[in-house]
C-alpha cells in the first residue's frame, strides 16, 4: 500500500474513531437527559396523584382526580390495591388489566422501570401506598418513550451522517496534502531513476517548494551529493586520461629506441641513454603518483616533530643552487627563527617543489628569493621569482593533478614536469593544518606563500596535527 493511502487510512480511521467515541458520549448524555425529564414528569404526576388519594367509607382506596390535575396526553395511571386489585386506570388504558410494570410484589419504595406494553415502550414509576406501616397498594404512573426514541433516532442519524461527512472530508484533506508533499518526492525519485538509467550526473532534481522544509532539505542534500559525485567522476576520468597521456610519450620513446637497437643489432649508447632517461622519468612519475595518492588520501604517516624551518630553508637553498647553477640567482631574503610542527621530510619536499619550480620556470638572468617570517600564530614561507608568471586562466588550476599551464608544457624542454609537484605540496600543507597561496603577475613573476601553524612546544606536537 502506498504511503499516501496509508496516511489517508490512518487519519480517516483516527477521525472516525474520535467521532465514534464522541457520538457515543453525546448519545448517552442526551438519552439520560431525556429519560431524566420523563422521570421528573412521572414523579411530579405521582406526587399530585398521591395527594389526591383517600380511603372511602368501606376502607377502599379511592382517587379524587381534581379538575386542575390534568394528565398529559401520553401519561398513563393505574392504581392497584393489595386486596381488590386494579382500582383505577386512566382513560386511554382502561382496557388494560395488566400492571404497566411487573408488580409481583408491592414495591417498598418508588421504582422506575422501562417496560413494553404491546408495541409501546413505557417508562413507569411504581410508588408504594401505605397506611401506617402497612402496604395497601401501589400507584403506577407511566409515560410513553416514543418521543425519546424518536429523538434518539434523529440524533443517531445526525451523528452517523456527521461522522461519515467528517471522515470523507478528513480523507480528502489528508489525501490532498500528502499528494502535494509526496508529489515532490515522486518527482525526485523519477529524476533519480532517470539519472541512474542515463548515467548522467550533470542533472539535478528541481524543487519549487520551500527550501527549508524536510523535502526541500532532502532534495538539496541529494543534489549536493550528485555535485560531489560528478566532481569525483570528472576528476577520475581526467586522471585516467592524464596518466594515459603521460605514459604514452616515454613508452613510445622506449619502444622506438628498442626497435632501433634491434635493427642495428648492437647497443647504441645514445639509444640506451634515451631508454634509461625515459625509464627514470616513468619511475619518477609513478613515485610522484603514489606519493600524491597517499597524501591526498591522508594515508601518509606523519612523523611529527618540531621542525626548525630556518635550517630546513637553508638546506633547500643549498641543494637547489646546484640546479640553478649560474643561470638563475637564488637569494635568501629575511629569515626568522621559526619552529613548526610536522614531518620534516614532507615539508622539505614541499620547499624543494616550490624552489625547483621557481628555478625551472625563471629564464636565465632571473632571480629566485626565499623568505621566512611569522605572524602571531603562523609561520610564513615565501618563494618568489622573476619568471614569466602564471596566466590568470591557469592560476585556479595549478594545484590540480597533472595540470600544467599550456606555456610550461612547451617551455620546459627538460620534460621533467608532470604537473604533480604542486598537488603534492598542496596536500602535504593541508595535512599539516596550513595553507598555500599563489600570487602571480604576467612577465613580473610569481610568489608562492606557505602558511603553517607555529609550534608552541615539543609536548603539543603530536596532538596538534
Ligand atoms: P610541473 O611538474 O609542471 O612543474 P607543478 O605541479 O609543479 O608541475 O606545477 C604546475 C604548473 O604550475 C606548472 O606546469 C607551471 O605551469 C605552473 N608553475 C608552477 N610554478 C611556477 C612558477 N614559479 N612560475 C611559473 N609557472 C609555474
Amino acid at each position: 500500500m502506498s504511503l499516501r493511502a496509508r496516511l489517508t487510512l490512518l487519519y480517516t480511521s483516527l477521525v472516525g474513531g474520535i467521532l465514534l467515541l464522541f457520538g457515543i458520549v453525546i448519545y448517552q448524555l442526551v438519552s439520560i437527559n431525556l429519560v431524566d425529564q420523563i422521570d421528573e414528569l412521572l414523579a411530579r404526576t405521582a406526587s399530585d396523584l398521591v395527594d389526591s388519594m383517600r380511603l372511602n367509607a368501606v376502607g377502599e382506596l379511592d382517587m379524587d382526580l381534581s379538575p386542575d390535575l390534568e394528565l398529559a396526553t401520553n401519561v398513563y395511571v393505574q392504581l392497584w390495591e393489595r386486596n381488590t386489585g386494579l382500582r383505577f386506570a386512566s382513560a386511554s388504558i382502561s382496557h388494560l388489566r395488566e400492571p404497566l410494570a411487573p408488580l409481583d410484589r408491592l414495591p417498598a419504595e418508588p421504582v422506575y422501570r422501562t417496560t413494553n406494553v404491546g408495541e409501546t415502550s413505557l417508562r413507569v414509576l411504581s410508588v408504594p401506598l401505605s397506611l401506617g406501616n402497612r402496604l395497601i397498594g401501589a400507584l403506577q404512573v407511566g409515560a410513553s418513550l416514543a418521543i425519546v426514541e424518536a429523538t434518539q433516532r434523529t440524533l443517531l442519524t445526525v451523528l452517523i451522517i456527521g461522522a461519515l461527512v467528517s471522515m470523507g472530508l478528513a480523507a480528502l484533506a489528508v489525501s490532498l496534502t500528502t499528494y502535494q508533499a509526496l508529489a515532490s518526492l515522486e518527482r525526485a525519485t523519477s529524476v533519480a531513476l532517470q539519472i541512474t538509467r542515463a548515467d548522467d550526473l550533470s542533472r539535478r532534481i528541481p524543487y519549487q517548494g520551500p527550501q527549508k522544509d524536510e523535502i526541500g532539505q532532502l532534495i538539496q542534500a541529494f543534489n549536493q551529493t550528485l555535485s560531489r559525485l560528478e566532481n569525483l567522476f570528472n576528476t577520475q576520468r581526467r586522471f585516467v586520461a592524464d596518466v594515459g597521456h603521460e605514459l604514452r610519450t616515454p613508452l613510445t620513446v622506449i619502444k622506438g629506441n628498442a626497435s632501433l637497437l634491434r635493427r642495428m643489432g648492437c647497443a647504441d649508447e645514445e639509444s640506451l641513454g634515451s631508454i634509461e632517461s625515459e625509464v627514470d622519468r616513468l619511475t619518477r612519475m609513478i613515485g610522484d603518483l603514489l606519493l600524491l595518492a597517499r597524501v591526498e588520501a591522508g594515508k601518509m604517516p606523519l612523523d611529527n616533530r618540531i621542525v626548525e624551518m630556518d635550517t630546513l630553508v637553508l638546506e633547500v637553498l643549498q641543494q637547489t643552487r646546484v640546479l640553478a647553477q649560474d643561470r638563475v640567482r637564488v637569494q635568501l631574503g629575511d629569515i626568522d627563527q621559526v619552529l613548526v610542527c610536522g614531518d620534516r621530510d614532507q615539508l622539505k619536499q614541499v620547499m624543494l617543489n616550490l624552489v625547483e619550480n621557481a628555478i625551472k620556470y625563471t629564464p636565465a638572468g632571473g632571480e629566485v628569493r626565499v623568505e621566512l617570517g611569522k605572524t602571531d600564530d603562523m609561520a610564513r614561507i615565501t618563494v618568489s621569482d622573476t619568471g614569466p608568471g602564471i596566466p590568470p586562466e591557469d592560476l585556479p588550476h595549478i594545484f590540480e593533478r597533472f595540470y600544467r599551464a599550456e606555456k610550461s608544457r612547451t617551455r620546459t624542454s627538460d620534460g621533467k614536469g608532470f604537473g604533480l609537484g604542486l598537488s603534492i605540496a598542496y596536500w602535504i600543507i593541508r595535512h599539516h593544518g596550513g595553507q598555500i597561496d599563489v600570487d602571480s603577475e604576467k612577465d613580473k613573476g610569481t610568489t608562492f606563500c606557505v602558511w603553517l601553524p607555529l609550534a608552541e612546544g615539543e609536548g603539543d606536537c603530536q596532538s596538534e596535527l
Side-chain angles (χ1 to χ4, degrees):
M1 198 193 281
S2 71
L3 181 60
R4 187 172 164 208
R6 265 185 291 159
L7 282 176
T8 309
L9 195 70
L10 177 76
Y11 285 107
T12 312
S13 323
L14 205 68
V15 170
I18 292 171
L19 286 176
L20 182 71
L21 272 180
F22 186 67
I24 291 174
V25 172
I26 297 239
Y27 185 85
Q28 289 298 339
L29 281 179
V30 169
S31 302
I32 290 170
N33 194 276
L34 287 173
V35 172
D36 275 355
Q37 284 181 23
I38 289 193
D39 286 354
E40 227 172 89
L41 171 73
L42 293 179
R44 246 191 349 260
T45 314
S47 151
D48 290 347
L49 288 171
V50 169
D51 289 348
S52 71
M53 254 171 235
R54 58 183 172 73
L55 286 174
N56 64 15
V58 284
E60 288 167 342
L61 267 173
D62 234 347
M63 204 156 50
D64 182 16
L65 286 181
S66 70
D68 43 297
L69 179 72
E70 264 184 34
L71 290 179
T73 42
N74 60 344
V75 172
Y76 313 103
V77 179
Q78 280 185 337
L79 175 65
W80 292 89
E81 202 181 33
R82 189 173 205 154
N83 303 325
T84 49
L86 183 63
R87 290 281 303 149
F88 172 84
S90 52
S92 54
I93 52 163
S94 54
H95 60 282
L96 196 69
R97 296 286 115 202
E98 299 296 315
L100 291 173
L103 255 186
D104 320 331
R105 281 190 301 117
L106 288 179
E109 49 191 43
V111 181
Y112 288 97
R113 283 225 179 116
T114 303
T115 60
N116 281 322
V117 175
E119 301 270 283
T120 323
S121 272
L122 287 183
R123 182 77 173 163
V124 179
L125 168 64
S126 305
V127 183
L129 299 171
S130 45
L131 193 61
N133 282 338
R134 196 163 56 89
L135 270 176
I136 54 167
L139 172 73
Q140 287 198 317
V141 187
S144 164
L145 286 176
I147 188 149
V148 176
E149 285 170 352
T151 313
Q152 280 176 332
R153 267 196 304 276
T154 313
L155 183 64
L156 201 63
T157 317
V158 169
L159 286 176
I160 289 175
I161 292 176
L164 288 178
V165 169
S166 312
M167 282 168 75
L169 286 177
L172 196 71
V174 174
S175 179
L176 277 179
T177 355
T178 46
Y179 171 76
Q180 274 178 345
L182 296 179
S184 324
L185 275 186
E186 275 168 20
R187 258 198 312 278
T189 313
S190 95
V191 175
L193 286 174
Q194 283 168 23
I195 290 171
T196 316
R197 271 197 293 269
D199 216 358
D200 177 10
L201 287 173
S202 64
R203 286 193 63 177
R204 297 289 174 270
I205 296 170
Y207 182 59
Q208 271 93 39
Q211 299 291 321
K212 288 243 156 66
D213 70 4
E214 290 81 351
I215 296 173
Q217 282 179 355
L218 174 77
I219 290 177
Q220 226 176 326
F222 191 75
N223 281 341
Q224 279 166 1
T225 311
L226 280 176
S227 302
R228 178 128 178 74
L229 278 179
E230 189 187 9
N231 272 344
L232 280 176
F233 276 115
N234 285 344
T235 315
Q236 200 185 23
R237 213 171 287 153
R238 229 177 21 239
F239 176 71
V240 173
D242 287 343
V243 172
H245 179 78
E246 291 293 334
L247 285 177
R248 195 179 299 138
T249 322
L251 286 176
T252 315
V253 175
I254 292 171
K255 191 168 172 9
N257 281 306
S259 323
L260 190 69
L261 287 180
R262 176 175 307 185
R263 274 205 305 278
M264 286 167 48
C266 66
D268 156 42
E269 197 48 46
E270 198 181 325
S271 305
L272 281 177
S274 173
I275 289 178
E276 255 172 16
S277 92
E278 289 305 324
V279 169
D280 284 349
R281 187 170 142 74
L282 277 180
T283 313
R284 264 201 326 277
M285 186 178 96
I286 288 166
D288 276 1
L289 269 179
L290 288 176
L291 177 66
L292 178 62
R294 281 162 71 204
V295 278
E296 214 176 13
K299 297 238 170 80
M300 185 89 167
L302 290 181
D303 182 16
N304 283 331
R305 287 169 201 284
I306 292 286
V307 181
E308 290 171 0
M309 281 309 282
D310 37 323
T311 323
L312 188 139
V313 165
L314 291 174
E315 257 176 52
V316 169
L317 285 191
Q318 212 168 13
Q319 222 168 308
T320 47
R321 274 196 182 116
V322 183
L323 178 76
Q325 294 169 340
D326 292 335
R327 200 178 60 83
V328 176
R329 258 176 306 128
V330 179
Q331 300 274 43
L332 179 65
D334 294 340
I335 181 159
D336 265 358
Q337 255 198 336
V338 172
L339 298 181
V340 300
C341 203
D343 186 310
R344 195 172 198 282
D345 290 344
Q346 292 189 23
L347 292 176
K348 188 168 173 186
Q349 168 89 56
V350 172
M351 291 310 301
L352 278 172
N353 284 359
L354 294 180
V355 179
E356 281 176 4
N357 268 353
I359 295 171
K360 192 163 65 179
Y361 294 110
T362 303
E367 182 184 293
V368 171
R369 172 178 285 267
V370 181
E371 289 183 1
L372 174 64
K374 57 183 167 186
T375 60
D376 286 348
D377 52 356
M378 296 297 259
R380 192 192 67 236
I381 309 117
T382 51
V383 179
S384 38
D385 62 54
T386 54
I390 303 169
E393 65 273 18
D394 291 322
L395 264 185
H397 305 288
I398 55 165
F399 294 108
E400 291 172 12
R401 290 182 291 201
F402 286 114
Y403 194 88
R404 306 187 69 208
E406 200 46 52
K407 281 185 190 157
S408 317
R409 291 177 188 260
T410 44
R411 188 175 290 131
T412 52
S413 52
D414 63 356
K416 277 184 183 165
F418 308 110
L420 293 174
L422 285 182
S423 307
I424 293 172
Y426 171 85
W427 284 103
I428 290 178
I429 294 301
R430 204 174 138 159
H431 285 304
H432 278 76
Q435 191 181 315
I436 179 164
D437 305 326
V438 58
D439 189 18
S440 188
E441 210 176 321
K442 197 171 175 320
D443 295 331
K444 288 228 167 116
T446 305
T447 301
F448 282 91
C449 186
V450 174
W451 298 90
L452 283 168
L454 284 175
E456 282 167 18
E458 185 79 53
D460 63 353
C461 202
Q462 296 297 328
S463 56
E464 210 175 286
L465 299 172

